[in-house]
Amino acid sequence: MEPETRREPEARDEPGAEDDQSCTVYGLYDQDLTHKTILVGDSGVGKTSLLVQFDQGKFIPGSFSATVGIGFTNKVVTVGEVTVKLQIWDTAGQERFRSVTHAYYRDAHALLLLYDITNKSSFDNIRAWLTEIHEYAQSDAVIMLLGNKADMCSGRVIKREDGERLAREYGVIFMETSAKTGVNVDLAFMTAAKELIGRCLELPKEPKFQINDIIEQKPQQSGCCGFT
Ligand SMILES: Nc1nc2c(ncn2[C@@H]2O[C@H](COP(=O)(O)OP(=O)(O)OP(=O)(O)O)[C@@H](O)[C@H]2O)c(=O)[nH]1
Ligand SMILES: [Mg+2]
């Protein structure tokens, strides 16, 4: 079989690009490069819903069906001129599956850690989740803290500032999301992808994605919670 030929990207010739042995710089331009992102957090915080919203642009209301074990979805995204295949692993939040999911942490380039803004214990458990992440994941993995269900204004028990403070303490990226309305869902995954690419290629990081860009595309159904 003929080997597949690909056009050499110009950015390969950027000074210093080939010096960075820690990144698969050449591979970043290959469609088949896979960045592994893993979703973690307590059961019921909305990991599966977030992934469905990102992948299919929809929210399936109704009774909660807990994930069993682990599953994955592939999604090709473009960040600037770079196309990357994200392999997104959706883990089960239930305690009994923890030993199974730990095995996947070490291969993850990015970890999206969710809590539910209406569920205090899911937020209180974030420190334990971060301890597990630091124990099992690679030290250079991108970590994002996401306060999900931001559409549930009346049920909110975790202030946005509390999430921001915790994220600052651990030096991780923070945002609030809603798998229901779609607010900041694309932004969360794209920020992780952009961070990964930026680390390897040192792409100009400005202009950053603006939270308001996404909010404008997918306006909230109710302007509440001070979630802007
Ligand atoms: N209002 C609202 N409900 C949500 C949101 N995200 C998830 N839900 C609901 O919360 C429940 C749990 O969502 P899942 O996505 O299944 O939670 P999970 O984190 O995957 O749970 P496990 O698979 O057990 O770990 C479901 O009933 C969802 O419909 C959200 O952003 N807003
Ligand atoms: Mg699930």
Side-chain angles (χ1 to χ4, degrees):
M1 191 168 60
E2 284 292 308
E4 198 179 347
T5 54
R6 295 179 195 276
R7 195 185 135 267
E8 301 268 309
E10 285 170 17
R12 261 186 76 165
D13 302 327
E14 291 282 321
E18 61 275 69
D19 296 332
D20 187 352
Q21 300 298 317
S22 66
C23 299
T24 318
V25 175
Y26 303 159
L28 278 170
Y29 286 88
D30 292 345
Q31 288 279 344
D32 56 1
L33 175 89
T34 301
H35 270 167
K36 289 181 185 153
T37 296
I38 188 165
L39 295 165
V40 292
D42 278 9
S43 180
V45 295
K47 300 177 295 296
T48 302
S49 304
L50 194 86
L51 181 53
V52 169
Q53 179 61 256
F54 179 58
D55 186 39
Q56 301 170 32
K58 65 183 181 191
F59 176 74
I60 303 164
S63 60
F64 165 38
S65 172
T67 300
V68 173
I70 189 160
F72 77 91
T73 297
N74 283 323
K75 177 104 172 158
V76 176
V77 299
T78 304
V79 179
E81 310 232 317
V82 182
T83 302
V84 184
K85 184 163 82 180
L86 297 181
Q87 187 178 89
I88 306 161
W89 292 85
D90 176 26
T91 66
Q94 289 177 5
E95 190 85 43
R96 63 196 169 112
F97 296 113
R98 269 329 134 73
S99 56
V100 179
T101 54
H102 283 160
Y104 291 83
Y105 284 29
R106 69 172 173 275
D107 290 330
H109 301 105
L111 297 101
L112 305 193
L113 171 58
L114 279 73
Y115 67 89
D116 171 353
I117 66 149
T118 71
N119 179 334
K120 187 170 181 309
S121 71
S122 74
F123 182 72
D124 291 342
N125 288 335
I126 288 296
R127 287 179 190 278
W129 279 106
L130 285 164
T131 302
E132 284 190 11
I133 288 171
H134 287 127
E135 186 174 348
Y136 294 101
Q138 293 179 43
S139 57
D140 60 350
V142 173
I143 303 169
M144 290 183 66
L145 179 63
L146 304 179
N148 191 42
K149 306 196 187 181
D151 58 281
M152 295 184 70
C153 312
S154 56
R156 178 189 282 271
V157 294
I158 305 298
K159 289 187 202 137
R160 183 194 177 92
E161 303 82 65
D162 294 336
E164 281 172 344
R165 196 175 307 115
L166 188 61
R168 245 195 325 274
E169 183 184 329
Y170 282 86
V172 302
I173 305 166
F174 173 76
M175 59 186 71
E176 288 194 341
T177 55
S178 169
K180 183 175 182 180
T181 65
V183 164
N184 289 347
V185 174
D186 288 0
L187 181 68
F189 286 96
M190 294 300 279
T191 299
K194 189 175 184 225
E195 186 72 22
L196 286 166
I197 294 164
R199 284 182 185 187
C200 285
L201 291 183
E202 296 187 2
L203 289 174
K205 294 210 172 164
E206 296 297 337
K208 286 185 193 288
F209 291 95
Q210 295 294 317
I211 288 178
N212 285 342
D213 292 346
I214 304 294
I215 289 171
E216 274 164 30
Q217 284 170 30
K218 296 183 175 179
Q220 289 178 75
Q221 287 164 347
S222 60
C224 51
C225 296
F227 178 55
T228 54

